[in-house]
Amino acid sequence: MYTIILVDDERLTLVTLANYIDWEKMSCRVIATASNGRDALEKVESLQPDILITDVKMPVMDGIELCKQVHTRFPNIQIVFLSGYNEFDYACAALQHGACGYLLKPIDHEELAATMRKVRQRCEEQKNRLNSTLLTSGEYLRELLQIGGNLLSGLADEVTAVYNHHLHLPADNQTFYFVFISINEYTLLAEHPLAFDAPSGDFSTVERLEFFIAGLPSFSRGVLTKLRDGQWIFATKESDRTVFTHWRNQSASAQRWISLFLTDHPQSLLSFSKQWPKMLQIHNQLVAIHGTGLINDNWENTHPALRQEPFPKTEHLIAAVKQNRRDQVEEWLHDFYDGGLPPGSISQAFVESVSIFDAVRSAVAANNRHLQDIINKDSKFFGRLSLMESMQSMKTHMRQILSLIMDELEASPVDRHIEIVNEVCTIIQKNYEQVISIDMLAELIFLSPNYLRTIFKDVTGKTLLEYVTQIRMDNACLMLQETNIRVQEIAKRVGYDSPSYFGAVFFKRTGLTPNQYRTHAKKGSRT
């Protein structure tokens, strides 16, 4: 629809034109009316219609003066004059000031339709020319931002001229405000949409966001240029953070995924092209640290905090997952992902995340076939993780997969306890000759000592000390029966530094001294 402002000092004519003409049939829409040229000029400046239909003779400011000013300041607006028969020569003279047609009063509908066809054609031609110049200016802008430097000042001049023309600014204007618009996590949403962002209908989240951004020039006058997938530059004559925030917040998805970085003062294209690398770097760092949906107009004075503390220990996370301590898992995730950007950038956080998850999976799901199957079904986990631009997205993603693991462990706690106890028993059986403590065992399987004591007793009916003693005595009995190794050496081989203490424990368990046991065992063997 092409927009129209109607101007006539005769109220009846104005009402008839506004309300009794089927403008929609002619692909037009009346957006305002005025009764004199001065009022009309103010509305033209505010609304900038495609078409102005104005009477010639009016009070305050006549149609010719209005036409002169509009044609000078807004050359893209098509102007049609209205005149009576006795004003025909006057109207014809007015055409010299940029009008594209005239209509005689009273309005003939066929004549109006014919004139509007001509006007619409000129509007379309103007629109095509404008689109062509905007496409060219977009190519030039991308080259300016990619290469930069004064060597491309000629390109900057051409783009500046297009911007001035499109924004109705004076030809000698050299400065604009710039807004960097980005769809954060663009590749993630485009290639591996998250379950909670699954699109409804025919369009994906990314497509809906792109449609939304394409409508920005209708909300705020400016020139929108796409730099690459997920990134745009919007050049405008005014920059108000409140306005752009209001625009973005019209859509919940836009509010969540779109970030806006604004220049805080007007500047030339060459000046902006020199600042662009810093703007892009700060944008990437802040998104990596804080996540999506940022608005920043003070980025030049921003210094993103790099991580100072080491990453929290993986074994603490494993212990929290095994014990289903979700509060401790959340605390660990906070320490890992909210501690600032690591020196190696977001890629370092990804590498660490993969390593940590592998360790958790190995420690928790190694002997749980059902849990392994659940994790393997979520085959997109690492693919999504590798595409993420922010540590906050990684945090959310890790929380989801860890929650899934803990849900499964919580659903079958007895089976899981048996797996843990079996793992402890295997460690003891392989290391009974060494010093074994509850703290050492708890650290090896990433559990607290008290928790390990509890579940071990629940599953086996024995304390850990009783089980360690049992394994040591069983192996001592075998060596006494099958070898001629001295008792002192056997004591050392089963983990006792003191032969006398070994003898006391052995007697308490079997009712015999080690030598008596050996003698009876060999007699029994001969028999």
Side-chain angles (χ1 to χ4, degrees), residues 294-312:
L294 306 179
I295 296 181
N296 192 306
D297 56 5
N298 192 37
W299 54 270
E300 292 183 69
N301 300 316
T302 300
H303 303 284
L306 296 179
R307 186 176 190 89
Q308 301 298 321
E309 299 296 325
F311 284 121

Side-chain angles (χ1 to χ4, degrees), residues 420-429 441 445 452 456 464:
I420 293 172
V421 169
N422 287 339
E423 184 178 354
V424 171
C425 290
T426 299
I427 293 173
I428 294 172
Q429 291 164 10
L441 290 170
I445 60 170
L452 177 56
F456 194 90
L464 272 162

Side-chain angles (χ1 to χ4, degrees), residues 111-148:
E111 183 183 0
L112 174 63
T115 300
M116 293 309 296
R117 281 195 296 270
K118 173 184 173 184
V119 172
R120 290 200 312 273
Q121 182 178 353
R122 291 185 62 167
C123 286
E124 192 67 28
E125 291 172 353
Q126 179 67 34
K127 179 181 177 181
N128 291 337
R129 284 194 297 270
L130 181 59
N131 287 340
S132 177
T133 57
L134 288 177
L135 286 173
T136 302
S137 70
E139 294 176 4
Y140 290 169
L141 176 63
R142 286 188 287 272
E143 194 165 345
L144 277 168
L145 298 184
Q146 183 176 358
I147 301 175

Side-chain angles (χ1 to χ4, degrees), residues 225-461:
T225 301
K226 186 171 185 176
L227 301 181
R228 50 171 292 184
D229 285 345
Q231 295 183 355
W232 291 259
I233 291 292
F234 187 66
T236 179
K237 60 182 178 181
E238 297 178 353
S239 180
D240 186 337
R241 174 176 177 151
T242 303
V243 171
F244 287 105
T245 302
H246 176 62
W247 164 73
R248 193 193 66 167
N249 292 353
Q250 292 180 104
S251 163
S253 292
Q255 188 175 2
R256 177 178 183 183
W257 297 111
I258 291 177
S259 287
L260 304 174
F261 278 62
L262 300 78
T263 55
D264 62 354
H265 61 278
Q267 54 190 283
S268 68
L269 269 168
L270 284 180
S271 174
F272 176 66
S273 68
K274 292 175 182 177
Q275 286 189 302
W276 167 246
K278 181 180 179 181
M279 177 187 257
L280 185 60
Q281 179 188 30
I282 297 296
H283 162 272
N284 293 343
Q285 290 177 339
L286 291 181
V287 169
I289 295 171
H290 301 293
T292 62
L294 306 179
I295 296 181
N296 192 306
D297 56 5
N298 192 37
W299 54 270
E300 292 183 69
N301 300 316
T302 300
H303 303 284
L306 296 179
R307 186 176 190 89
Q308 301 298 321
E309 299 296 325
F311 284 121
K313 293 183 178 180
T314 305
E315 51 264 34
H316 293 169
L317 176 63
I318 295 174
V321 171
K322 283 187 171 183
Q323 296 174 60
N324 201 23
R325 295 299 302 270
R326 296 175 191 255
D327 56 336
Q328 292 181 7
V329 169
E330 189 61 32
E331 183 179 345
W332 189 96
L333 291 172
H334 172 78
D335 291 344
F336 186 95
Y337 291 106
D338 297 321
L341 191 66
S345 77
I346 192 70
S347 60
Q348 181 64 29
F350 163 69
V351 171
E352 293 290 339
S353 296
V354 172
S355 175
I356 288 163
F357 181 74
D358 279 339
V360 172
R361 180 168 58 178
S362 176
V364 176
N367 299 314
N368 189 322
R369 174 61 62 183
H370 182 55
L371 186 54
Q372 287 182 12
D373 291 341
I374 290 175
I375 295 173
N376 291 335
K377 284 180 181 178
D378 193 6
S379 58
K380 294 181 179 179
F381 176 77
F382 288 117
R384 290 171 178 165
L385 198 66
S386 67
L387 296 173
M388 289 180 176
E389 302 169 13
S390 76
M391 296 180 72
Q392 295 307 308
S393 292
M394 291 185 181
K395 178 181 178 182
T396 299
H397 206 36
M398 284 287 283
R399 181 191 292 118
Q400 288 176 329
I401 195 72
L402 292 175
S403 179
L404 182 150
I405 291 173
M406 288 187 288
D407 287 345
E408 172 59 23
L409 295 179
E410 189 175 25
S412 53
V414 175
D415 292 343
R416 180 57 189 155
H417 290 171
I418 293 173
E419 290 176 15
I420 293 172
V421 169
N422 287 339
E423 184 178 354
V424 171
C425 290
T426 299
I427 293 173
I428 294 172
Q429 291 164 10
K430 291 180 178 179
N431 300 277
Y432 64 86
E433 73 280 4
Q434 301 176 12
V435 175
I436 296 177
S437 68
I438 183 65
D439 291 333
M440 180 269 287
L441 290 170
E443 184 176 354
L444 284 174
I445 60 170
F446 312 110
L447 292 177
S448 69
N450 288 336
Y451 185 74
L452 177 56
R453 284 192 188 96
T454 300
I455 64 172
F456 194 90
K457 183 69 180 290
D458 288 343
V459 173
T460 66

